Amino acid sequence: MSTVMKGDASGRGAVEGYRVSIPARQHPYTEEEIQAVVHVMRDVDCQTQGPMLAQFQADFAVFTGSKYAFAVDNATNALSLAATLCGVQPGDEVIVPAYTFCASAIPFGKAGAKLVWGDIHPDTWTIDPEDIARKITDKTKVIVAVHLLGMPCDMEAIVKLAKAHGIKVVEDCAQALDARIHGQHVGTFGDFGCFSFHGAKTMTTLGEGGMLLVKSDEDARLVPGIRHNGCCAFPGDRERYWVPAMSSVDMDIDGFWPNNFCIGEAQCALGSVQLKTLSANTDKIIAQNDKLRALLADVPEITANHIPEGYRHVRHQYVFHFDGSAFGKDRNDLLDLLTGKYGIRSIVQYYPLYRYPLFQKLGAGTFDCPVLESWWDNSFSLPMWCGMDDSVLETIARAVKDAVAELKA
Ligand SMILES: *Cc1c(COP(=O)(O)O)cnc(C)c1O
């Protein structure tokens, strides 16, 4: 097998030679979205930190039902802001699932915390609250709840644990915009909620973008000054409006170092428009995945995660698990056939983070995650994007069935 994989590292991007391609982006921009960007380019003087930012934040707060929303340049920096505001220091411990994208952990490691890897629940594949309970010590400062693949974590259990121990909860909602538990949006359960509008996510603000939801008034007061080092608008109520310069350095941000985590006005204008169609797009992604699950329901070797009652799981990826142990085959045997013979390009995402040299060399190589170890090596992702019709889904399901039958024979 010597196919050269093109497209980006997430496995997205059309690659020739397959029956089903995976577009780099979930869906094309609408004309209204394009016009919103062009409007900022043509007609708006202010290019950053202006009315579009205020509008996007207000729209996002309404959409998620959050009191405070702060737009930033990406989710990694939303997580960094959360780590700062949680007061993470060297010597603290942060519990973060080992099964996630690297950015869930990096901002906390950079702040000096010891990363304690959480195991997954065998049914939902998100961080297991019982495993968190086992790993809490008197040094635990933060629990990072990652709604990976768009599946909400068990927030009731996690928030209860955190409250009992005086620990902060940061929700990584980068893959879970519009995911909800009994109608309540993820990102509003913990102290902070971090969202991504990267090019591979359901909604993208020109390739990069993010949002931080904040629960407390005190944290919300600090965010603008920590988000931007200098160049905030001069408050209008000063005797001499030009004194002093660099007004945000003049702001009291309680001794924190500020950053530049800002997002531009064109991106914010686009974000506001995208929010209007977001739930409809998410509904399509969910319906497609339901259909794929139904088509594969009679293949006992292939399973999907269990969706608890009342959970809106937005299926950021179409991940399945293959159990070929009865006939001595594993995930790689299946993917060799699927990609090599049946023309269905499947990928494997999010290696347990402790397996990467990056984390090992930074002192985060030890782990105790038996469920993840027994599950991950047989998981894989089928192609997905917003707009797969029934015939595409049937082609994929047929190929999976034929490949499993061939491995069994
Ligand atoms: C994409 C992603 C991030 C990082 O988002 P950026 O906006 O690219 O910084 C963080 N966590 C998870 C789970 C992600 O999927």
Side-chain angles (χ1 to χ4, degrees):
M1 219 121 316
S2 59
T3 319
V4 176
M5 298 299 256
K6 288 177 241 142
D8 76 22
S10 69
R12 294 198 154 272
V15 176
E16 278 170 31
Y18 291 93
R19 287 158 74 201
V20 170
S21 68
I22 312 176
R25 201 145 30 88
Q26 293 287 355
H27 45 84
Y29 290 118
T30 64
E31 198 49 39
E32 189 190 357
E33 289 162 2
I34 293 167
Q35 286 311 320
V37 174
V38 170
H39 168 64
V40 175
M41 295 173 78
R42 275 202 222 287
D43 311 319
V44 178
D45 289 335
C46 170
Q47 293 292 295
T48 188
Q49 306 259 70
M52 305 294 173
L53 172 69
Q55 187 64 51
F56 184 31
Q57 293 178 160
D59 292 343
F60 200 89
V62 169
F63 183 84
T64 51
S66 169
K67 190 167 177 194
Y68 298 108
F70 296 96
V72 289
D73 51 354
N74 56 59
T76 306
N77 285 337
L79 287 155
S80 286
L81 272 167
T84 299
L85 290 165
C86 288
V88 175
Q89 307 265 351
D92 292 337
E93 293 178 4
V94 171
I95 299 176
V96 54
Y99 178 51
T100 183
F101 182 65
C102 58
S104 305
I106 287 170
F108 299 92
K110 266 178 89 173
K114 177 183 170 203
L115 301 174
V116 177
W117 300 117
D119 204 351
I120 57 167
H121 190 281
D123 299 336
T124 57
W125 309 344
T126 54
I127 193 166
D128 181 359
E130 284 182 20
D131 186 63
I132 296 175
R134 279 190 287 275
K135 288 172 180 168
I136 288 175
T137 71
D138 56 7
K139 291 183 182 153
T140 308
K141 190 75 159 258
V142 178
I143 298 166
V144 185
V146 184
H147 310 296
L148 200 75
L149 315 178
M151 168 67 98
C153 299
D154 181 350
M155 291 314 296
E156 196 190 336
I158 291 171
V159 168
K160 199 169 153 199
L161 261 178
K163 284 216 169 107
H165 291 88
I167 298 169
K168 298 274 186 189
V169 175
V170 175
E171 297 181 66
D172 179 343
C173 315
Q175 301 188 359
L177 177 53
D178 202 25
R180 306 171 214 166
I181 302 173
H182 298 298
Q184 184 177 343
H185 279 259
V186 298
T188 64
F189 292 89
D191 299 280
F192 301 96
C194 306
F195 293 81
S196 173
F197 314 124
H198 176 267
K201 316 287 182 186
T202 316
M203 142 174 172
T204 181
T205 48
L206 298 174
E208 299 283 352
M211 190 73 75
L212 175 71
L213 299 186
V214 172
K215 191 158 256 174
S216 90
D217 298 343
E218 178 54 16
D219 288 330
R221 178 183 73 77
L222 294 169
V223 172
I226 301 177
R227 174 173 59 180
H228 195 200
N229 44 205
C231 303
C232 284
F234 290 103
D237 57 356
R238 296 184 179 221
E239 197 179 331
R240 288 177 165 140
Y241 75 87
W242 61 90
V243 178
M246 285 201 290
S247 62
S248 81
V249 177
D250 184 46
M251 282 165 84
D252 180 7
I253 49 171
D254 286 5
F256 290 112
W257 283 106
N259 308 274
N260 183 359
F261 291 162
C262 293
I263 180 170
E265 289 286 282
Q267 291 174 282
C268 291
L270 173 60
S272 282
V273 179
Q274 292 211 340
L275 277 181
K276 295 195 227 166
T277 51
L278 181 78
S279 286
N281 287 330
T282 310
D283 286 345
K284 276 191 228 162
I285 291 170
I286 292 172
Q288 290 170 186
N289 184 260
D290 281 344
K291 167 106 190 178
L292 197 52
R293 285 174 184 237
L295 289 168
L296 292 170
D298 59 353
V299 188
E301 294 84 2
I302 303 286
T303 46
N305 53 356
H306 166 71
I307 306 171
E309 168 73 30
Y311 278 46
R312 179 171 161 89
H313 169 16
V314 298
R315 334 286 166 95
H316 182 72
Q317 266 111 27
Y318 291 173
V319 176
F320 290 87
H321 182 263
F322 173 59
D323 182 0
S325 56
F327 37 96
K329 301 292 183 190
D330 63 21
R331 182 257 319 274
N332 293 336
D333 298 316
L334 178 66
L335 294 202
D336 279 347
L337 269 187
L338 269 182
T339 59
K341 180 168 174 183
Y342 291 92
I344 303 299
R345 184 172 154 236
S346 307
I347 56 174
V348 176
Q349 287 156 308
Y350 318 125
Y351 281 67
L353 293 182
Y354 48 71
R355 293 192 191 176
Y356 288 93
L358 175 101
F359 289 101
Q360 291 168 355
K361 289 185 181 173
L362 288 167
T366 52
F367 62 95
D368 175 18
C369 300
V371 179
L372 183 57
E373 283 295 299
S374 68
W375 174 84
W376 187 85
D377 290 289
N378 280 303
S379 69
F380 65 101
S381 301
L382 288 172
M384 75 80 64
W385 74 97
C386 180
M388 300 164 88
D389 62 22
D390 281 359
S391 75
V392 170
L393 295 165
E394 278 154 16
T395 300
I396 293 170
R398 181 80 262 148
V400 172
K401 287 183 182 192
D402 289 350
V404 171
E406 188 170 335
L407 289 173
K408 250 172 137 166

